[in-house]
Amino acid sequence: MQHTATPDSAGQGVAAPYLPTDRTVPTRSRDRASYDRELVHSILDEAYLCHLGFVRDGAPVVLPTLFGRMGERLYVHGSTGSRPLRAAKTTDPGLPVCLTVTHVDALVLARSAFHHSMNYRSVVVHGTAVTVTDPEELRLALDAIVDQVVPGRSQDSRPANGKELAATAVIRLDLNEVSAKVRTGGPNDEPEDGALPHWTGIVPLTRGYAPPVPADDLDPAIGVPDYLSAL
Amino acid sequence: MQHTATPDSAGQGVAAPYLPTDRTVPTRSRDRASYDRELVHSILDEAYLCHLGFVRDGAPVVLPTLFGRMGERLYVHGSTGSRPLRAAKTTDPGLPVCLTVTHVDALVLARSAFHHSMNYRSVVVHGTAVTVTDPEELRLALDAIVDQVVPGRSQDSRPANGKELAATAVIRLDLNEVSAKVRTGGPNDEPEDGALPHWTGIVPLTRGYAPPVPADDLDPAIGVPDYLSAL
């Protein structure tokens, strides 16, 4: 782990924030930016889908993909034949990437079109993705990706065999150059708009899971496991 | 509109699919890719948040942002001071971008870790974003972005005034180089894994809206409008 708890002046363990860089200081709404490690982790851990950006032939590419977090490292997996994973392997020292996770919590409807907004929590990670070659790290990373989607699931599925491992590439992205951005609260209308006849407020979004649907060929004796009921 | 309905042999209006390019043909799971115009539109129109990728100093940047669709054009807005919008204005012929929209519909839990997957629908748009300078197009684009979030809302809010318009930049991205990718159905386990004692199936995701929460200073005589109740 690159970043461990740093003792503060009172001697208690406190995780030091990420250090802001030119890339992680926004040009606007700076008050919404945060480098707090626990906030970043909590936003990442509420997600399993990220949008991974890389450059191909000078142009940007953004693909949705699953990820897993282990401490200060993020892992993304894919076919050994996929473009970014191939590029990470053949590029020295690795593939420059930007990994972004976003949760939208509410629509914010102001009286003016201009002040319409969203309540959201996002994390943007900049860095260089490198291919995981250590077999033990590879297995742990694959478990982390499965458990990011459904905590506990990796222990209730068949691990990858040799053939599957050979077909799978995993890249690692360290959490060094990282920022979170959070908006909360209601609309910020102009005071002179207060008397306009438009409804204003927020519309919270809901997210959840419907009951699990067993596969057609599932042995009926195998019930829904606790880790799924707990979702 | 660049792409209009093309009469088929029966004389009926049929929208021609997008033409695949090297960038929009995936290296794997090609059977999941589609260039169908109506499918692409439907995936885009179920969203208001996209992840916009661009290149800054040779490195990728991926930011979550609102967008609006008008026919075969997508619009993204932001502060005139924001990095991508500034770059779109100062780069000739515009800013190379990749705009991606993703809906996750279900978790797919196979007996093997390797065959875990997601049911999803995504759209990836490659192209060059240009700054909107025509005042009428700018107003229509801003309405489209508001209405992408809540259909009908642009008619029930104060339009941007001159000062607000001057602070707002809008970029346009034409739908030319576009693909959708869709996965549906259950897990695809290896036949030899059929007797393993692991639960297998899918967990559908749910998305919705909680009741609107009025702003503290809203005149109580202004009730929740129909277009919000209809969400």
Side-chain angles (χ1 to χ4, degrees):
Chain A
M1 220 55 57
Q2 277 193 299
H3 301 274
T4 49
T6 308
D8 68 6
S9 55
Q12 292 181 297
V14 172
Y18 298 106
L19 291 177
T21 71
D22 179 48
R23 294 200 287 197
T24 61
V25 175
T27 48
R28 54 190 292 270
S29 303
R30 289 195 185 187
D31 52 313
R32 294 181 189 166
S34 168
Y35 308 92
D36 183 84
R37 207 168 285 261
E38 287 180 22
L39 176 66
V40 165
H41 291 178
S42 74
I43 293 170
L44 291 171
D45 290 353
E46 204 178 306
Y48 39 79
L49 186 86
C50 66
H51 282 81
L52 183 73
F54 57 99
V55 179
R56 181 175 175 238
D57 298 335
V61 181
V62 179
L63 298 179
T65 188
L66 297 176
F67 77 96
R69 181 177 77 87
M70 285 179 62
E72 296 295 333
R73 293 174 163 183
L74 301 185
Y75 293 96
V76 170
H77 79 320
S79 154
T80 48
S82 82
R83 284 167 179 152
L85 293 150
R86 227 165 41 200
K89 194 167 184 175
T90 56
T91 313
D92 186 31
L95 181 70
V97 297
C98 180
L99 186 154
T100 301
V101 164
T102 309
H103 304 286
V104 179
D105 296 319
L107 316 179
V108 179
L109 308 185
R111 294 176 178 94
S112 60
F114 184 77
H115 283 295
H116 276 61
S117 188
M118 319 286 289
N119 285 341
Y120 66 94
R121 290 163 294 139
S122 64
V123 164
V124 176
V125 184
H126 298 272
T128 302
V130 296
T131 303
V132 174
T133 53
D134 178 72
E136 181 59 17
E137 185 180 7
L138 187 60
R139 286 181 187 280
L140 290 172
L142 291 173
D143 282 354
I145 294 167
V146 168
D147 287 336
Q148 188 90 19
V149 181
V150 180
R153 177 66 184 176
S154 71
Q155 296 306 303
D156 188 25
S157 53
R158 175 178 65 68
N161 59 30
K163 185 181 158 193
E164 292 166 346
L165 283 174
T168 305
V170 173
I171 52 178
R172 182 181 72 229
L173 175 63
D174 290 336
L175 292 173
N176 284 320
E177 197 170 349
V178 186
S179 61
K181 213 166 168 187
V182 175
R183 188 202 191 279
T184 58
N188 295 323
D189 258 318
E190 302 293 334
E192 59 267 34
D193 287 337
L196 290 177
H198 309 306
W199 189 92
T200 178
I202 70 168
V203 184
L205 303 188
T206 59
R207 281 184 291 272
Y209 298 93
V213 180
D216 293 341
D217 66 346
L218 179 67
D219 179 350
I222 302 179
V224 173
D226 289 344
Y227 59 79
L228 279 188
S229 311
L231 278 180
Chain B
M1 222 54 59
Q2 277 193 298
H3 302 273
T4 49
T6 309
D8 68 7
S9 56
Q12 292 181 298
V14 173
Y18 298 105
L19 291 178
T21 70
D22 180 48
R23 294 201 286 197
T24 61
V25 175
T27 49
R28 54 189 294 271
S29 302
R30 289 197 185 185
D31 53 312
R32 294 181 188 165
S34 168
Y35 308 93
D36 183 84
R37 208 168 285 262
E38 285 179 22
L39 176 66
V40 166
H41 291 178
S42 75
I43 293 171
L44 290 172
D45 290 353
E46 205 178 306
Y48 39 79
L49 186 85
C50 66
H51 281 81
L52 183 74
F54 57 98
V55 180
R56 180 174 174 237
D57 298 335
V61 181
V62 178
L63 298 180
T65 188
L66 296 175
F67 76 96
R69 180 177 78 86
M70 283 179 64
E72 295 296 331
R73 293 174 165 183
L74 301 185
Y75 293 96
V76 170
H77 78 321
S79 153
T80 48
S82 83
R83 285 168 179 154
L85 293 151
R86 226 164 41 198
K89 194 166 185 176
T90 56
T91 312
D92 185 32
L95 181 71
V97 297
C98 180
L99 185 154
T100 301
V101 164
T102 309
H103 305 286
V104 179
D105 295 321
L107 317 179
V108 179
L109 308 185
R111 294 177 178 93
S112 60
F114 184 78
H115 283 296
H116 275 61
S117 188
M118 319 288 290
N119 285 341
Y120 65 93
R121 291 164 293 139
S122 63
V123 164
V124 177
V125 184
H126 298 272
T128 301
V130 296
T131 303
V132 174
T133 52
D134 178 74
E136 181 60 14
E137 185 180 8
L138 187 60
R139 286 181 187 280
L140 290 172
L142 291 173
D143 282 354
I145 294 168
V146 167
D147 287 336
Q148 189 89 19
V149 182
V150 179
R153 177 66 184 177
S154 71
Q155 296 305 304
D156 188 25
S157 53
R158 174 178 66 70
N161 59 32
K163 184 181 158 195
E164 291 166 346
L165 283 175
T168 304
V170 173
I171 53 178
R172 182 181 73 228
L173 175 63
D174 289 338
L175 292 173
N176 283 320
E177 197 170 352
V178 186
S179 61
K181 213 167 168 187
V182 175
R183 188 201 189 280
T184 58
N188 296 323
D189 259 317
E190 303 294 333
E192 61 265 33
D193 288 337
L196 291 178
H198 308 305
W199 188 93
T200 178
I202 70 169
V203 184
L205 303 188
T206 59
R207 283 183 290 272
Y209 298 93
V213 180
D216 292 340
D217 65 346
L218 180 67
D219 178 349
I222 302 179
V224 173
D226 289 344
Y227 59 80
L228 280 188
S229 311
L231 278 181

